[in-house]
Amino acid sequence: MLNLDALEGAPLVAQPFDHCIVSGFLAPADVQAVLQDFPAVAKGGSFPLSSLPCGPALTRLAEQLQGSQVAIALGRKFGLDLSKHPTLMTLRARSRAKDGRIHRDSDDKLLTALLYLNDDWSDDNGRLRLLKGPADIEDYAVEVEPQAGTLLVFRCTDRSWHGHKPYEGVRQVLQINWVTDAAVVRREQWRHGFSAWIKTLFSKVRPT
């Protein structure tokens, strides 16, 4: 399902921080099958993929993204031995007005990979920006359209600031993090899982 040749050929760009962008990383023949398998999540936020009902195409995609071939290719590109590091995979289906605020990923993450899964993106908002600093969403070096099959990978450092202009609506993405150790995976899965449970609980509460 994955275009590993495109990943191998994508240049590593150093500014504003180490990253690479791969267009067409997901084979076009598989895009529609994966989109049809994408869970119908009504809430914003990140959800562990393991907590959601996923069809066979999305399950297969997740397995391949976390497989050794991708880890070897990215490790070679970023100069890391990813074989020693576990992965954490989460899913976002919807964007809220508060999402996209400028931030950087935590220190226990080595690499972040975002595979976008939106069939046709025409909105100017919701495009991820790789920023030159932490203060201004307009001070960016690169803007990434979240089109289906586009892969963005970046090194997590103290200057990997990113964000996007506010967007409300469907904005589908798989996020894979290579992290320092298994304890990080357990902690993050618990955190995201608890948050998802709270969202589900409150969605069932109605005023009396």
Side-chain angles (χ1 to χ4, degrees):
M1 300 177 81
L2 305 180
N3 188 345
L4 294 173
D5 289 339
L7 175 57
E8 292 280 5
L12 180 65
V13 181
Q15 297 300 326
F17 44 84
D18 286 354
H19 72 276
C20 69
I21 300 171
V22 187
S23 299
F25 183 58
L26 178 60
D30 294 310
V31 168
Q32 289 306 316
V34 170
L35 292 180
Q36 289 172 10
D37 271 0
F38 209 89
V41 178
K43 298 292 182 181
S46 295
F47 296 82
L49 198 64
S50 58
S51 70
L52 298 169
C54 298
L58 185 57
T59 299
R60 182 168 163 239
L61 173 62
E63 290 172 351
Q64 292 187 13
L65 287 169
Q66 296 177 98
S68 60
Q69 288 182 302
V70 172
I72 290 169
L74 288 178
R76 187 158 47 233
K77 190 174 296 291
F78 285 86
L80 297 169
D81 181 2
L82 296 177
S83 66
K84 302 176 181 178
H85 298 284
T87 57
L88 172 70
M89 177 171 283
T90 54
L91 172 152
R92 282 180 176 266
R94 302 189 66 86
S95 179
R96 303 160 294 187
K98 68 179 183 178
D99 292 332
R101 294 172 182 171
I102 297 173
H103 68 285
R104 69 176 185 87
D105 290 356
S106 59
D107 292 336
D108 45 30
K109 295 176 180 176
L110 306 174
L111 285 183
T112 292
L114 301 170
L115 179 61
Y116 292 105
L117 294 167
N118 303 287
D119 197 16
D120 184 20
W121 194 270
S122 57
D123 202 294
D124 289 336
N125 295 336
R127 300 169 186 243
L128 193 70
R129 293 177 173 181
L130 307 187
L131 305 172
K132 299 176 183 178
D136 185 0
I137 195 67
E138 299 296 341
D139 187 22
Y140 65 96
V142 179
E143 185 177 67
V144 183
E145 181 179 312
Q147 188 70 29
T150 297
L151 177 74
L152 165 67
V153 188
F154 60 85
R155 191 191 303 274
C156 301
T157 72
D158 59 3
R159 62 186 186 91
S160 55
W161 301 101
H162 55 283
H164 62 74
K165 296 176 73 173
Y167 176 80
E168 292 187 80
V170 174
R171 186 177 182 274
Q172 300 181 158
V173 59
L174 289 178
Q175 176 168 313
I176 310 96
N177 293 108
W178 282 263
V179 299
T180 52
D181 55 57
V184 177
V185 176
R186 291 192 295 270
R187 184 193 71 212
E188 291 297 306
Q189 285 180 335
W190 183 91
R191 182 173 68 87
H192 288 300
F194 180 76
S195 175
W197 178 77
I198 289 293
K199 291 169 189 172
T200 301
L201 177 67
F202 277 90
S203 71
K204 295 177 181 178
V205 175
R206 297 291 184 270
T208 58

